[in-house]
Amino acid sequence: MKPMAHLGVGIGWRPEIADAVERLPGLDWVEVVAENICPGHLPEALLRLRERGTSVVPHGVSLGLGGADRPDPAKLAALGERAVALGAPLVTEHIAFVRTSSPVLEAGHLLPVPRTRDALDVLCENVRIAQDALPVPLALENIAALFSWPGEELTEGQFLTELVERTGVRLLIDVANLHTNRVNRGEDPAAVLDAIPLEALAYVHVAGGVERGGVWHDTHAHPVPPVVLDLLAALRSRVDPPGVLLERDDDFPPEAELAGELEAIRAVVTAGPATGVRAERAREGTAVPEAAAEPETVSGAEPEAAAGPGSAVATEPARTRVALGQAALLSALVAGTPVPEGFDRGRIRVQARALAAKRADVVARLAPELPGLLGGRDPYREAFLAYAKGRPMTAGYRRDALDFAEHLLIRDLPADPAARRRLTAWWRERAGVRPPRRVVRWARALAGRAA
């Protein structure tokens, strides 16, 4: 594995802080959410950064490589187009699943995959498909989670190590996510850092969060806490990271505070050379060892689950087993079905509430007119959460906003006729069709009540 190109210290580029990002001193690179940009119409602020020689890396959130289905070729092509348009040295995604195809459900969030042989086989095949389709190298990020899967067969370190050995994929290590999983799942960040092949490190994420009721929420909307900087220092003691990036997605602080957080990160990164054998191997770019052609069979594993690297044998039975587990979990989270056996029911309830709240917030950001049409943030949120209980998301947030508006109109809401007319006009403009006639709305409402 070739050494990763040096990136330096960077920040997640967001439109809300685009001007501030351009003024940040000593900024080496930025990362953009791939789905939020259009290759043919890049924001002027991003183009100016590129002209200055600032590297830009697209960070995908919707591939769902940990899902039971093979990657969507259109989504892979779109991610590759963004990499080419930005002149990116690599693209990044997550070790997560985000949707199911039977039933068709969207989480709107990154959910953890089970650390099982089946799930690893599926993930490895999906990663190889993605690598073959992308024009630049791929790196995958460890995610934050509120809950654990029952019956896991591998530790986080074992799972990530075998993933790298079998696919050659790079790793994007989020130290804030390591802290989240320490609080929420009792995992030891040091054990993860000691186990994974840091030679495969592409770069590092640093972000803030908040603890509520014994649960750590990875918000990307709070300052980076000292405990996360301590984990960055622990990683730095093992390896000289090619890049470190500050993530901030909401509640953006003043420019001086952003600059201060970057300076704190830079101070950790430049504190001194990493020490130890693993650090030396990473600096020299020593290849990650290839797995044996015929690895030792894991006790209890199906023969196809123990296949060696490069073998495209995430069999259909393995995919089916992963699909059934993920569908049962996602249905419990977004459709109110019973929680599958073995999961922590309290944590699943916390996750379900967090998904509904995020869904409401994202729809409000994408369609800021809706809260105004409904009389403000609180009435909007109450109406949306009531709608979300019976209507799982199936086609993304933009479709969700239209479906929510139609849901209100079917019920002759808002109650104020003038507001309802404005909502009708808003819906018609975006949906491109006439809203349901009154008799149709009555029929749908009666059918809904009967159900």
Side-chain angles (χ1 to χ4, degrees), residues 99-143:
R99 65 181 63 85
T100 58
S101 58
S102 181
V104 177
L105 295 172
E106 288 275 349
H109 189 71
L110 303 165
L111 295 175
V113 301
R115 298 183 193 121
T116 62
R117 287 287 165 189
D118 277 347
L120 181 59
D121 287 339
V122 169
L123 174 62
C124 286
E125 185 179 358
N126 288 349
V127 168
R128 287 191 289 266
I129 292 170
Q131 289 170 317
D132 288 344
L134 292 168
V136 295
L138 171 68
L140 295 181
E141 178 181 352
N142 60 305
I143 72 162

Coordinates of all heavy atoms in Angstrom, one line a residue, residues 99-143:
R99 N -30.3 2.1 4.3 CA -31.6 1.8 3.8 C -31.8 0.3 3.7 O -30.8 -0.5 3.8 CB -31.7 2.5 2.4 CG -30.8 1.9 1.3 CD -31.0 2.5 0.0 NE -30.6 4.0 0.1 CZ -29.4 4.4 0.0 NH1 -28.3 3.6 -0.2 NH2 -29.1 5.7 0.0
T100 N -33.0 -0.1 3.4 CA -33.3 -1.5 3.1 C -34.2 -1.5 1.9 O -34.9 -0.5 1.6 CB -34.0 -2.2 4.2 OG1 -35.3 -1.5 4.6 CG2 -33.2 -2.3 5.5
S101 N -34.1 -2.5 1.1 CA -34.9 -2.6 -0.1 C -36.2 -3.4 0.0 O -37.1 -3.4 -0.8 CB -34.1 -3.2 -1.3 OG -33.6 -4.4 -1.0
S102 N -36.3 -4.2 1.1 CA -37.5 -5.0 1.3 C -37.7 -5.2 2.8 O -37.1 -6.1 3.4 CB -37.3 -6.4 0.7 OG -38.5 -7.2 0.9
P103 N -38.5 -4.3 3.4 CA -39.3 -3.2 2.7 C -38.4 -2.0 2.4 O -37.3 -1.9 2.8 CB -40.3 -2.8 3.8 CG -39.6 -3.1 5.1 CD -38.8 -4.3 4.8
V104 N -38.9 -1.2 1.5 CA -38.2 0.0 1.1 C -38.3 1.0 2.2 O -39.3 1.6 2.5 CB -38.8 0.6 -0.2 CG1 -38.0 1.9 -0.6 CG2 -38.7 -0.4 -1.4
L105 N -37.2 1.3 2.9 CA -37.1 2.2 4.0 C -35.8 2.9 3.9 O -34.7 2.4 3.6 CB -37.2 1.5 5.3 CG -38.5 0.7 5.6 CD1 -38.3 -0.1 6.9 CD2 -39.6 1.7 5.8
E106 N -35.8 4.2 4.3 CA -34.6 5.0 4.4 C -34.4 5.5 5.8 O -35.4 6.0 6.4 CB -34.7 6.3 3.5 CG -34.6 6.0 2.0 CD -33.2 6.0 1.5 OE1 -32.3 6.3 2.3 OE2 -33.0 5.5 0.3
A107 N -33.2 5.3 6.3 CA -32.9 5.7 7.7 C -32.7 7.2 7.8 O -33.0 7.9 8.8 CB -31.7 5.0 8.3
G108 N -32.1 7.8 6.7 CA -31.7 9.2 6.8 C -30.6 9.4 7.7 O -30.3 10.5 8.2
H109 N -29.8 8.3 8.0 CA -28.8 8.4 9.0 C -27.9 7.2 8.8 O -28.3 6.2 8.2 CB -29.4 8.3 10.4 CG -28.5 8.6 11.5 ND1 -27.9 9.8 11.8 CD2 -28.0 7.8 12.5 CE1 -27.1 9.7 12.9 NE2 -27.1 8.5 13.3
L110 N -26.7 7.3 9.3 CA -25.7 6.2 9.2 C -25.9 5.2 10.4 O -25.8 5.6 11.6 CB -24.3 6.7 9.3 CG -23.9 7.8 8.2 CD1 -22.6 8.5 8.6 CD2 -23.8 7.1 6.9
L111 N -26.3 4.0 10.1 CA -26.5 3.0 11.1 C -25.4 1.9 11.1 O -24.9 1.6 10.1 CB -27.9 2.3 10.9 CG -29.1 3.3 11.1 CD1 -30.4 2.6 10.7 CD2 -29.2 3.8 12.5
P112 N -25.1 1.4 12.3 CA -24.0 0.4 12.4 C -24.3 -0.9 11.7 O -25.5 -1.4 11.8 CB -23.8 0.3 13.9 CG -25.1 0.6 14.5 CD -25.7 1.6 13.6
V113 N -23.3 -1.5 11.1 CA -23.5 -2.9 10.6 C -23.1 -3.9 11.7 O -22.3 -3.6 12.6 CB -22.6 -3.1 9.4 CG1 -23.0 -2.2 8.3 CG2 -21.2 -3.0 9.7
P114 N -23.7 -5.1 11.7 CA -23.3 -6.1 12.7 C -21.9 -6.5 12.4 O -21.5 -6.8 11.3 CB -24.3 -7.2 12.6 CG -24.8 -7.0 11.2 CD -24.8 -5.6 10.9
R115 N -21.1 -6.7 13.5 CA -19.7 -7.2 13.2 C -19.7 -8.8 13.2 O -19.3 -9.4 14.1 CB -18.8 -6.7 14.3 CG -18.7 -5.2 14.4 CD -17.7 -4.8 15.4 NE -17.8 -3.4 15.7 CZ -18.0 -2.9 16.9 NH1 -18.3 -3.7 17.9 NH2 -18.1 -1.6 17.1
T116 N -20.3 -9.2 12.1 CA -20.4 -10.7 11.9 C -19.7 -11.1 10.6 O -19.4 -10.2 9.8 CB -21.9 -11.1 11.8 OG1 -22.5 -10.4 10.7 CG2 -22.7 -10.7 13.1
R117 N -19.5 -12.4 10.4 CA -18.8 -12.8 9.2 C -19.7 -12.5 8.0 O -19.2 -12.2 6.9 CB -18.6 -14.3 9.3 CG -17.4 -14.6 10.3 CD -16.1 -14.3 9.6 NE -15.0 -14.2 10.6 CZ -13.8 -13.8 10.4 NH1 -13.5 -13.3 9.2 NH2 -12.9 -13.8 11.3
D118 N -21.0 -12.8 8.1 CA -21.9 -12.5 7.0 C -21.8 -11.0 6.6 O -21.6 -10.7 5.4 CB -23.4 -12.7 7.4 CG -23.7 -14.2 7.2 OD1 -23.0 -15.0 6.6 OD2 -24.8 -14.6 7.8
A119 N -21.9 -10.1 7.6 CA -21.9 -8.7 7.3 C -20.5 -8.2 6.7 O -20.4 -7.4 5.8 CB -22.2 -7.9 8.5
L120 N -19.4 -8.9 7.2 CA -18.1 -8.5 6.7 C -18.0 -9.0 5.2 O -17.4 -8.3 4.4 CB -17.0 -9.1 7.6 CG -15.6 -8.9 7.1 CD1 -15.3 -7.4 7.1 CD2 -14.6 -9.6 8.1
D121 N -18.5 -10.2 4.9 CA -18.4 -10.7 3.5 C -19.2 -9.7 2.6 O -18.7 -9.4 1.5 CB -19.0 -12.1 3.5 CG -18.0 -13.1 4.1 OD1 -16.8 -12.9 4.2 OD2 -18.5 -14.2 4.4
V122 N -20.3 -9.3 3.0 CA -21.1 -8.4 2.2 C -20.4 -7.1 2.0 O -20.3 -6.6 0.9 CB -22.5 -8.2 2.8 CG1 -23.3 -7.1 2.1 CG2 -23.3 -9.5 2.8
L123 N -19.9 -6.5 3.1 CA -19.2 -5.3 3.0 C -18.0 -5.4 2.1 O -17.8 -4.5 1.3 CB -18.8 -4.8 4.5 CG -17.9 -3.6 4.6 CD1 -18.7 -2.4 4.0 CD2 -17.5 -3.4 6.0
C124 N -17.2 -6.4 2.3 CA -16.0 -6.5 1.4 C -16.4 -6.6 -0.1 O -15.7 -5.9 -0.9 CB -15.2 -7.8 1.8 SG -14.3 -7.6 3.4
E125 N -17.4 -7.4 -0.4 CA -17.8 -7.4 -1.8 C -18.3 -6.0 -2.3 O -17.9 -5.6 -3.4 CB -18.8 -8.5 -2.1 CG -19.1 -8.6 -3.6 CD -20.2 -9.6 -3.9 OE1 -20.7 -10.3 -3.0 OE2 -20.5 -9.8 -5.1
N126 N -19.0 -5.4 -1.5 CA -19.5 -4.0 -1.8 C -18.4 -3.0 -2.0 O -18.4 -2.2 -2.9 CB -20.5 -3.5 -0.8 CG -21.9 -4.3 -0.8 OD1 -22.1 -5.0 -1.8 ND2 -22.7 -4.0 0.2
V127 N -17.4 -3.1 -1.1 CA -16.2 -2.2 -1.2 C -15.5 -2.5 -2.5 O -15.1 -1.6 -3.2 CB -15.3 -2.4 0.0 CG1 -14.0 -1.7 -0.2 CG2 -16.0 -1.8 1.2
R128 N -15.3 -3.8 -2.9 CA -14.6 -4.1 -4.1 C -15.3 -3.5 -5.3 O -14.7 -3.0 -6.3 CB -14.3 -5.6 -4.2 CG -13.3 -6.1 -3.3 CD -12.9 -7.5 -3.6 NE -13.9 -8.5 -3.3 CZ -14.0 -9.1 -2.1 NH1 -13.1 -8.9 -1.2 NH2 -15.0 -10.0 -1.9
I129 N -16.7 -3.6 -5.3 CA -17.5 -3.1 -6.4 C -17.3 -1.6 -6.5 O -17.1 -1.0 -7.6 CB -19.0 -3.4 -6.2 CG1 -19.2 -4.9 -6.3 CG2 -19.8 -2.6 -7.2 CD1 -20.6 -5.4 -5.9
A130 N -17.3 -0.9 -5.3 CA -17.1 0.5 -5.3 C -15.7 0.9 -5.8 O -15.5 1.8 -6.6 CB -17.3 1.1 -3.9
Q131 N -14.7 0.2 -5.4 CA -13.3 0.5 -5.8 C -13.1 0.4 -7.3 O -12.5 1.2 -7.9 CB -12.3 -0.4 -5.1 CG -12.2 -0.1 -3.6 CD -11.4 -1.2 -2.8 OE1 -11.6 -2.4 -3.1 NE2 -10.5 -0.8 -2.0
D132 N -13.8 -0.7 -7.9 CA -13.7 -0.9 -9.3 C -14.3 0.3 -10.1 O -14.0 0.6 -11.2 CB -14.3 -2.2 -9.7 CG -13.5 -3.4 -9.3 OD1 -12.3 -3.2 -9.0 OD2 -14.0 -4.5 -9.2
A133 N -15.4 0.9 -9.5 CA -16.1 1.9 -10.2 C -15.6 3.3 -10.0 O -15.9 4.2 -10.8 CB -17.6 1.9 -9.7
L134 N -14.8 3.6 -8.9 CA -14.4 4.9 -8.6 C -13.0 5.2 -9.3 O -12.2 4.4 -9.4 CB -14.3 5.1 -7.1 CG -15.6 5.1 -6.3 CD1 -15.3 4.9 -4.8 CD2 -16.4 6.3 -6.6
P135 N -12.9 6.5 -9.7 CA -11.6 6.9 -10.4 C -10.5 7.2 -9.5 O -9.3 7.4 -9.9 CB -12.1 8.1 -11.2 CG -13.1 8.8 -10.3 CD -13.8 7.6 -9.7
V136 N -10.7 7.3 -8.2 CA -9.7 7.6 -7.2 C -9.8 6.6 -6.0 O -10.8 5.9 -5.9 CB -9.8 9.0 -6.7 CG1 -9.5 10.0 -7.8 CG2 -11.2 9.3 -6.0
P137 N -8.8 6.5 -5.2 CA -8.9 5.6 -4.0 C -10.0 5.9 -3.1 O -10.5 7.0 -3.0 CB -7.5 5.8 -3.3 CG -6.6 6.3 -4.4 CD -7.4 7.1 -5.3
L138 N -10.5 4.9 -2.4 CA -11.6 5.0 -1.4 C -11.1 4.8 0.0 O -10.3 3.9 0.2 CB -12.6 3.9 -1.8 CG -13.8 3.7 -0.8 CD1 -14.7 5.0 -0.8 CD2 -14.6 2.5 -1.2
A139 N -11.6 5.6 0.9 CA -11.4 5.4 2.3 C -12.7 5.3 3.1 O -13.6 6.0 2.7 CB -10.5 6.5 2.9
L140 N -12.8 4.5 4.1 CA -14.0 4.3 4.8 C -13.9 4.7 6.3 O -12.9 4.4 6.9 CB -14.5 2.8 4.7 CG -14.9 2.3 3.3 CD1 -15.3 0.9 3.4 CD2 -15.9 3.2 2.7
E141 N -15.0 5.3 6.8 CA -15.0 5.8 8.1 C -15.7 4.9 9.1 O -16.8 4.4 8.8 CB -15.6 7.2 8.1 CG -15.7 7.9 9.5 CD -16.4 9.2 9.5 OE1 -16.7 9.8 8.4 OE2 -16.7 9.8 10.6
N142 N -15.1 4.8 10.3 CA -15.8 4.2 11.4 C -16.9 5.1 11.9 O -16.7 6.3 12.0 CB -14.8 3.9 12.6 CG -14.2 5.1 13.1 OD1 -13.6 5.9 12.3 ND2 -14.3 5.4 14.4
I143 N -18.1 4.6 12.2 CA -19.2 5.5 12.6 C -19.4 5.5 14.1 O -19.0 4.6 14.8 CB -20.5 5.2 11.8 CG1 -21.1 3.9 12.3 CG2 -20.2 5.2 10.3 CD1 -22.6 3.7 11.9

